[in-house]
Amino acid sequence: MTNATETSTAPAVPTKAGREAWADVAKGTCIILVVLWHVVVKDYLQIDWRVGIPVPGAWGLLGEQLLPLRMPLFFTISGIFAANAVNRSWRTSARPRIAGNLYLYAIWLLVHTALLALSPGFPTDRATSFGGLLAQLTITPSNLWYLYALALYFVVAKALRRVHPAVLLGVSGVLSAVAAAGLLDTPGNRGGVYQNLVFFLAGVHLRPYLTRWASTASGRRLVWTAAVYVAALAFMGLAAAEQWFGVWPVVSVTAVAFGITAAAIVAQRARAAGAMLATLGRQTLPVYVIHMPVLALLHRLLAGPVAELNGPGRELLVAGYPVLVTAAVLALSLAIHRGLLAVGAWWMFQLPPRTGRKRNREGEIMSRTERPTEVPAEAPAPETVQIRAVPDRARVQEAAWWLSGRVVRTPVLNSPAVDRLAGVRILMKAENLQTGGSYKMRGAMLAVGRLAAAGYTGVVAQSTGNHGVAVAL
């Protein structure tokens, strides 16, 4: 693990292909592609554009060509982040990795069911009866199936961790091929669950090889992996081989090889784009769970007026509409996430802490014994930790949300005597009442919690005082 470096000029993305950088870039790219796909098939292609150019069909075709890339790459990265946690005890890993994801799946399934009922014409999976809702909660996952699959995959990976990786990958690869060939009953999104287990297990068991692949990425490799991916897509399309046994997993493997290479190159060389994608990659959970109701609302508001447009503006809009709406959905999803955190709805994005915690003299919840629970949405493995001199507002809010209930909420005090001496009102934040006796508990709890969430089981702190005490606690 690379040592953390404190600097005021640290780049947003490491100049080397650090595992954290490229993995976050890959996740950021995947969530953009997921939202874009939903915009195209659930909004854009539902509009009667009445244009003489085949642009809508081209957008649909592009989305289909990225299907082997989006979720396989997403689950490969998720497996990489879960690799260390798989080897931890059930007691320490089950709550964040299994219960946490199932809790989020259930909460947001209920939210989606309620909100999407307001847009009955919007083409997406929704439960219309109690039986349907029960099925989505158990055996037929909804459009939130990624969270459902993460919990299931982790159980499989951990329960079978002593089985030889070649056997696990072989069996799960066959399952993927069988599902892709249509040989299994796959209602709802069950097919996606069957098809992507092999990629999660690949991330868990092949993590050293995948990270080495990323760290040695080059422009030449980018070109030939892209060429192989395009050739595989062309063969599958021309031969109508989408449901040939084994074709889909093989094409997806070429897509993942290309995706990891491209993410590493972006992290290395395109610093501005890499920083943007990495930031988004650390916020995939709120985008994933919020974007569908947002898209349904935008479709309801925009589809009618857009279909009635005439003139040259219509031709311009038909070409750029998916990009514009995707950007709007991403921005609105992140804004709603910040708003929910601001009003204290953090429980919508994290499994609430266990009960029975101690309380301080002011009634604030504090914990001295419980391990920090996991940051949701597959927190990035912190092989390279970037400490910025001036963190942005989103990072401050994220840290405050995560620390809520884990540290003492200390009071702000005022002394009239000090005010008179200073000639102004002085406010003092009483961090001496913090667990460990100093404010450093906050930074230590956040840093060590993120390491624990990524699967690390130990940490060494070099300190002669408050920071060492905070890390130890």
Side-chain angles (χ1 to χ4, degrees):
M1 183 177 70
T2 306
N3 292 331
T5 303
E6 186 170 351
T7 171
S8 60
T9 59
V13 177
T15 54
K16 294 183 179 181
R19 283 175 281 182
E20 179 186 352
W22 73 261
D24 283 338
V25 168
K27 289 189 70 181
T29 303
C30 286
I31 197 63
I32 291 174
L33 294 178
V34 167
V35 175
L36 177 63
W37 172 244
H38 289 159
V39 167
V40 170
V41 299
K42 299 179 184 298
D43 177 29
Y44 180 69
L45 294 180
Q46 306 301 317
I47 299 173
D48 182 11
W49 288 97
R50 293 181 287 110
V51 292
I53 52 178
V55 174
W59 273 110
L61 180 62
L62 175 63
E64 290 177 354
Q65 305 316 302
L66 296 173
L67 282 173
L69 172 66
R70 284 189 295 270
M71 299 315 294
L73 180 57
F74 223 146
F75 280 112
T76 301
I77 303 302
S78 298
I80 289 173
F81 288 154
N84 287 331
V86 165
N87 294 315
R88 295 163 62 191
S89 69
W90 284 101
R91 182 174 178 273
T92 58
S93 60
R95 178 176 170 82
R97 294 281 177 176
I98 303 170
N101 282 317
L102 290 178
Y103 166 81
L104 292 172
Y105 175 72
I107 286 290
W108 283 98
L109 177 60
L110 296 176
V111 172
H112 279 211
T113 301
L115 294 181
L116 292 174
L118 303 176
S119 300
F122 187 69
T124 193
D125 291 334
R126 65 166 63 81
T128 57
S129 65
F130 178 76
L133 180 61
L134 185 61
Q136 289 189 340
L137 282 169
T138 54
I139 60 173
T140 308
S142 72
N143 51 39
L144 294 163
W145 66 277
Y146 176 72
L147 296 170
Y148 177 99
L150 282 179
L152 178 62
Y153 292 172
F154 188 81
V155 172
V156 172
K158 183 156 183 59
L160 302 178
R161 68 186 184 280
R162 301 193 185 282
V163 177
H164 196 283
V167 175
L168 282 178
L169 294 175
V171 172
S172 58
V174 170
L175 175 63
S176 179
V178 168
L183 302 178
L184 283 175
D185 184 26
T186 55
N189 290 285
R190 205 184 297 173
V193 176
Y194 293 153
Q195 288 177 237
N196 288 285
L197 172 61
V198 64
F199 297 101
F200 182 86
L201 293 176
V204 170
H205 292 286
L206 303 181
R207 176 178 176 174
Y209 304 100
L210 296 172
T211 54
R212 189 177 305 125
W213 177 273
S215 67
T216 57
S218 64
R220 178 176 296 179
R221 184 187 296 168
L222 179 65
V223 171
W224 72 256
T225 53
V228 171
Y229 179 30
V230 171
L233 287 172
F235 166 79
M236 186 170 65
L238 294 174
E242 292 88 346
Q243 291 193 321
W244 289 10
F245 187 85
V247 169
W248 179 269
V250 170
V251 174
S252 295
V253 168
T254 67
V256 170
F258 163 71
I260 292 176
T261 303
I265 293 294
V266 170
Q268 288 175 5
R269 304 180 185 181
R271 188 166 298 175
M276 179 192 71
L277 290 170
T279 299
L280 184 60
R282 290 187 288 268
Q283 303 179 77
T284 53
L285 173 65
V287 174
Y288 183 77
V289 298
I290 294 173
H291 82 274
M292 193 66 75
V294 170
L295 178 57
L297 176 62
L298 289 179
H299 177 72
R300 186 171 182 177
L301 294 175
L302 299 177
V306 167
E308 295 174 0
L309 284 178
N310 293 302
R314 186 181 188 84
E315 283 72 17
L316 292 175
L317 188 59
V318 72
Y321 183 89
V323 175
L324 295 174
V325 176
T326 297
V329 170
L330 289 169
L332 287 171
S333 298
L334 293 174
I336 291 171
H337 173 237
R338 288 193 294 270
L340 289 172
L341 294 184
V343 299
W346 55 268
W347 51 269
M348 298 184 73
F349 303 96
Q350 180 186 14
L351 181 65
R354 295 184 179 95
T355 58
R357 291 187 172 189
K358 298 179 180 179
R359 293 177 178 267
N360 68 359
R361 68 187 69 177
E362 292 151 325
E364 298 294 341
I365 296 174
M366 56 190 296
S367 173
R368 296 176 183 271
T369 58
E370 187 177 89
R371 291 174 181 264
T373 56
E374 182 181 350
V375 178
E378 299 299 310
E383 282 78 9
T384 302
V385 180
Q386 294 296 323
I387 302 178
R388 301 183 180 186
V390 183
D392 58 37
R393 183 180 181 87
R395 285 177 176 271
V396 173
Q397 289 176 328
E398 177 188 4
W401 157 64
W402 194 85
L403 290 172
S404 176
R406 294 185 171 89
V407 296
V408 178
R409 186 174 182 180
T410 56
V412 175
L413 305 177
N414 172 252
S415 169
V418 173
D419 291 351
R420 287 194 296 271
L421 288 173
V424 294
R425 190 181 185 212
I426 302 294
L427 299 176
M428 294 171 283
K429 181 70 168 166
E431 285 293 276
N432 57 307
L433 300 178
Q434 184 60 257
T435 306
S438 80
Y439 70 91
K440 294 195 175 183
M441 189 65 182
R442 300 176 184 275
M445 178 69 78
L446 186 65
V448 175
R450 284 176 170 168
L451 288 168
Y456 292 97
T457 56
V459 62
V460 175
Q462 178 182 335
S463 170
T464 58
N466 289 335
H467 182 65
V469 170
V471 170
L473 289 170

